[in-house]
Amino acid sequence: MLIDKETCIGCEDCHPYCTVGAISSVEWESGNVSEIDQAECVECGACFKRSGVCPVDAIYMPKLEWPRSLREPFSNPDVKHPSTTGQGRGTEEMKTNEVTGRYTYGMAGVAIEMGRPGVGTSFHDIQTVCMGLAKLGVEFEPNNPLMELMVDKTTGKINPEVLNEKVLSAIIEFKISSDRLKEALIAVREVSTQIDTVFSLDLISRVDSDGTMPNLAIAEEAGFTPRPNTKTNVGLGRPLFKEA
Ligand code: SF4
Ligand code: SF4
């Protein structure tokens, strides 16, 4: 996103709209105007059409060329990801239920939500986490826009062309058997010291018939303090899977 300095009147109304604090005032000719730090801007559109905040239409989006164009779908919820056609983070997000059985008993789904809130993340940091996980042989979720950028699933390496790009958030999703979950969570904890962003970790698990979730105890053993919550959708459907 750019600001036309000839048009900007320096009112600063756009500053609080920026999701990553990339807009600041600068001296320009006889007064102050606003400027967007191009390295920090994630092209989320919040200061532009999503808010329409500028009283003089000084904010505009130039045509985004590759690899910068990657920033927009990962940051603007109104823009679809080309690879998954999903909006937002471009993934259905990992859930399980009695119809899909996406995670059967003895399995866990893990989602690492990188960059939120209000910090953003680079693909360098995303690659660092993916590489730490790939060493364990985790099964990355195939229907996730990060997979199109991962050039080697066995190492977790991301296309080098995009490593310097910054986005508002991205979710790394994978599946692992419960007996290896502790190892994976410890690996996430270790790799968290090597990155310059925030993340939250989601653990997806089926509830056993006695109402317990063994994966929660495993997360606690790995040093996490899980906050369990569930969502109940009532629907009809034949199971699409067979419990092992
Ligand atoms: S597009 Fe988003 S990140 Fe870029 S300056 Fe506007 S609000 Fe900030
Ligand atoms: S809202 Fe428009 S005029 Fe006001 S500082 Fe931002 S770009 Fe300039």
Side-chain angles (χ1 to χ4, degrees), residues 33-135:
V33 294
S34 288
E35 186 176 72
I36 296 173
D37 181 336
Q38 293 302 296
E40 292 301 313
C41 171
V42 292
E43 307 293 358
C44 72
C47 61
F48 186 44
K49 289 189 178 163
R50 288 175 60 203
S51 66
V53 61
C54 183
V56 293
D57 290 337
I59 302 173
Y60 67 99
M61 184 179 248
K63 185 170 175 357
L64 299 178
E65 303 291 346
W66 176 263
R68 190 173 182 92
S69 56
L70 190 59
R71 298 185 183 212
E72 194 183 20
F74 277 96
S75 309
N76 184 338
D78 294 337
V79 174
K80 287 183 180 173
H81 283 266
S83 62
T84 63
T85 68
Q87 287 167 291
R89 270 93 49 90
T91 167
E92 287 293 312
E93 296 179 31
M94 304 208 308
K95 295 172 186 145
T96 191
N97 61 39
E98 302 299 325
V99 175
T100 65
R102 209 166 175 190
Y103 309 104
T104 50
Y105 293 118
M107 296 296 298
V110 179
I112 303 171
E113 303 199 33
M114 305 273 297
R116 289 209 310 181
V119 177
T121 182
S122 70
F123 283 96
H124 261 297
D125 281 344
I126 293 169
Q127 174 176 265
T128 300
V129 178
C130 289
M131 288 180 74
L133 293 166
K135 278 187 205 152

Side-chain angles (χ1 to χ4, degrees), residues 121-196:
T121 182
S122 70
F123 283 96
H124 261 297
D125 281 344
I126 293 169
Q127 174 176 265
T128 300
V129 178
C130 289
M131 288 180 74
L133 293 166
K135 278 187 205 152
L136 304 176
V138 304
E139 189 182 330
F140 290 108
E141 161 64 27
N143 191 26
N144 176 307
L146 287 179
M147 289 305 101
E148 193 191 48
L149 302 169
M150 192 179 283
V151 288
D152 184 350
K153 312 268 182 302
T154 58
T155 62
K157 280 204 168 155
I158 302 280
N159 180 348
E161 288 177 13
V162 309
L163 291 181
N164 289 328
E165 297 304 319
K166 182 176 173 180
V167 296
L168 194 56
S169 75
I171 307 185
I172 300 166
E173 299 172 302
F174 66 91
K175 191 183 206 178
I176 194 159
S177 63
S178 296
D179 57 7
R180 299 197 59 215
L181 177 61
K182 184 175 174 184
E183 189 187 352
L185 294 179
I186 289 172
V188 172
R189 187 175 278 284
E190 281 170 5
V191 90
S192 71
T193 60
Q194 299 163 32
I195 58 176
D196 185 24

Side-chain angles (χ1 to χ4, degrees), residues 2-4 7-15 23 25 33-35 47 53-59:
L2 290 167
I3 292 175
D4 178 358
T7 309
C8 175
I9 54 173
C11 67
E12 300 188 8
D13 285 359
C14 52
H15 293 205
I23 311 179
S25 284
V33 294
S34 288
E35 186 176 72
C47 61
V53 61
C54 183
V56 293
D57 290 337
I59 302 173

